[in-house]
């Protein structure tokens, strides 16, 4: 009950400090691993951002924008993890955010599959911080998730 | 605008905003289907104008379930505004006295004004916003630009300075628009254009609809304040 109240309070008494400081921004990268923790692919950025958007698509997205809003939710989860790194008190919240990111990346990658050929395939993500000085080569990895098996994440049939 | 008229219009716009938000969820994940299907059903009931009290309370319970499900808002400020609008609509419904109903609805209008004026103030006191650097950073490395091609806008320094100051001045001056109905209508039109451009550039489509849903409250409050004075 106290937890719900804590979540509800910022909505009832909002701070409205939109974009007050443009701080370093998180990027989510993922990798597929096998059971021996060997990379089966390179680290790749997970993003819903396209290279170019035409005006019709932009207008359509005023009404239908699920992929982008999900991506912003995952960024929020990444920000929660980073905020908790120095606290280490809110383990539940970190676990939730980590699982949400893993499950949603998994679904985005494999939702078309009915079964996995490689039963021992694992998914891991890491978080990098991008700021004004390192937009091209974000170097600072601030978090590695645990590696979860794709079967465990059940990404074939939704979450 | 009369109280009943503004209150009903807020209900209609809120239910439409909730339907839009919820439709984005139900095609995605199995365990989100139930909660968001219920949200659509109760939004439709609210939209119809019957059982409004029942549907508002049901939508509030669903909002709490959503907060628990996502361990906070799914869509940041847009979800927080959704919850604020919903809370104020619920309070108006359950409070027995007209005076307190007006206080609850007025609180929504007040928060709408603060959503612009505080956002404007925090930008004004930040030298990076005043110099256009902050907006340049938003385009250059934040997660918000919807396409890679938009990142090129970070190089248009003079243009970004102008837009930064336009945003700061609009947000700071918004409370003064309450002096006259005409000025408020102009300010709300500017606000809708501002949210529309945020939706186009940064994909913040949910902000557009839920902020517009709160507009009737400020139109009513302005009318109420003018009558009082």
């Amino acid at each position: 009950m106290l937890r719900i109240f804590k979540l509800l309070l910022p909505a009832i008494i909002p701070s409205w400090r939109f974009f007050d400081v443009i701080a370093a921004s998180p990027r989510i990268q993922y990798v597929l691993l096998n059971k021996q923790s060997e990379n089966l692919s390179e680290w790749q950025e997970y993003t819903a951002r396209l290279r170019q958007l035409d005006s019709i698509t932009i207008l359509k997205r005023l009404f239908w924008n699920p992929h982008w809003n999900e991506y912003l939710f995952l960024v929020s989860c990444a920000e929660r993890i980073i905020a908790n790194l120095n606290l280490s008190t809110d383990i539940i919240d970190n676990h939730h955010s980590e699982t949400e990111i893993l499950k949603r990346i998994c679904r985005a990658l494999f939702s078309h599959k009915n079964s996995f050929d490689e039963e021992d395939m694992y998914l891991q993500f890491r978080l990098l911080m991008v700021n004004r000085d390192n937009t091209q080569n974000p170097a600072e990895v601030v978090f590695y998730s645990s590696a979860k098996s794709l079967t465990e994440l059940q990404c074939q049939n939704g979450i | 605008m009369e109280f009943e008229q503004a209150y009903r219009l807020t209900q209609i716009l809120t239910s439409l905003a909730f339907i839009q938000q919820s439709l984005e969820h139900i095609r995605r994940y199995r365990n989100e289907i139930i909660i968001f299907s219920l949200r659509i059903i109760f939004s439709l009931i609210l939209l119809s104008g019957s059982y409004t009290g029942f549907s508002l309370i049901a939508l509030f319970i669903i909002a709490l379930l959503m907060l628990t499900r996502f361990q906070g808002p799914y869509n940041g400020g847009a979800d927080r505004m959704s919850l604020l609008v919903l809370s104020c609509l619920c309070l108006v419904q359950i409070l027995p006295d007209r005076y307190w109903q007006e206080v609850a609805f007025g609180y929504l209008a007040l928060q709408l004004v603060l959503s612009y004026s505080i956002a404007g103030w925090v930008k004004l006191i930040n030298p990076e916003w005043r110099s256009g650097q902050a907006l340049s950073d938003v385009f250059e490395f934040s997660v918000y630009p919807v396409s890679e091609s938009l990142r090129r806008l970070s190089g248009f320094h003079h243009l970004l300075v102008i837009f930064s100051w336009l945003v700061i001045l609009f947000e700071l001056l918004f409370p003064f628009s309450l002096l006259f109905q005409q000025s408020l209508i102009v300010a709300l039109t500017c606000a809708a254009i501002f949210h529309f451009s945020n939706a186009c550039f940064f994909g913040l489509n949910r902000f557009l609809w839920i902020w517009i849903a709160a507009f009737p409250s400020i139109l009513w409050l302005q009318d109420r304040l003018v009558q009082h004075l």
Side-chain angles (χ1 to χ4, degrees), chain A residues 1 3-5 7-27 45-53 58-77 79-80 90 92-93 96-97 100 103-105 107-108 130-136 154 157-159, chain B residues 20 23-25 27-32 60 64 67-81 83-84 87 107 110-112 114-116 118-120 122-123 125-126 128-129 133-135 137-138 140-152 171 196 199-209 211:
Chain A
M1 199 65 192
R3 175 83 185 150
I4 291 179
F5 187 70
L7 295 170
L8 183 63
L9 202 59
I12 307 298
I13 308 168
S15 76
W16 303 129
R17 298 175 69 90
F18 296 124
F19 292 96
D20 54 343
V21 176
I22 311 303
S25 172
R27 296 287 187 277
E45 185 171 343
Y46 179 76
T47 179
R49 187 176 304 102
L50 301 176
R51 190 154 295 280
Q52 192 104 32
L53 275 184
I58 288 173
L59 290 176
K60 275 184 192 167
R61 284 184 171 200
L62 293 176
F63 304 96
W64 182 250
N65 202 12
H67 292 94
W68 185 257
N69 282 319
E70 182 179 56
Y71 173 62
L72 291 183
F73 172 60
L74 292 193
V75 171
S76 300
C77 289
E79 286 170 344
R80 287 177 202 169
D90 208 344
I92 296 170
D93 190 52
H96 172 271
S97 301
E100 285 287 328
K103 282 189 168 184
R104 287 167 193 270
I105 292 175
R107 189 186 183 276
V130 179
N131 58 39
R132 200 181 299 152
D133 304 320
N134 68 357
T135 50
Q136 297 306 316
Q154 293 180 315
N157 301 310
I159 298 170
Chain B
Q20 187 277 324
L23 283 171
E24 288 191 347
H25 284 270
R27 282 190 60 187
R28 301 286 291 163
Y29 299 107
R30 230 173 16 197
N31 71 347
E32 289 176 10
F60 187 74
L64 295 183
L67 272 181
T68 313
R69 164 71 184 85
F70 299 115
Q71 293 289 300
Y74 178 81
N75 207 236
D79 272 18
R80 288 205 170 122
M81 188 55 151
L83 198 49
L84 176 67
S87 303
Y107 181 73
L110 173 71
Q111 286 298 338
L112 185 70
L114 291 176
S115 75
Y116 295 115
I118 292 178
V122 296
K123 290 183 183 80
I125 59 172
N126 183 342
E128 295 198 335
W129 265 101
Q133 181 63 53
L135 197 50
D137 287 350
V138 170
E140 190 179 1
F141 67 83
S142 84
V143 295
Y144 293 102
V146 292
S147 68
E148 288 298 335
S149 58
L150 279 178
R151 293 213 182 275
R152 286 202 295 267
E171 290 185 329
F196 173 79
C200 292
F201 285 119
F202 307 129
L204 303 173
N205 63 324
R206 294 183 180 199
F207 280 75
L208 172 67
W209 305 121
W211 250 262

Side-chain angles (χ1 to χ4, degrees), chain A residues 87-121:
Chain A
L87 298 175
S88 70
T89 51
D90 208 344
I91 297 163
I92 296 170
D93 190 52
N94 244 8
H95 173 74
H96 172 271
S97 301
E98 202 177 320
T99 310
E100 285 287 328
I101 294 174
L102 281 168
K103 282 189 168 184
R104 287 167 193 270
I105 292 175
C106 183
R107 189 186 183 276
L109 294 177
F110 300 106
S111 58
H112 60 286
K113 283 200 170 188
N114 293 320
S115 63
F116 294 115
D117 300 331
E118 302 89 352
E119 281 189 7
D120 293 334
M121 204 186 271

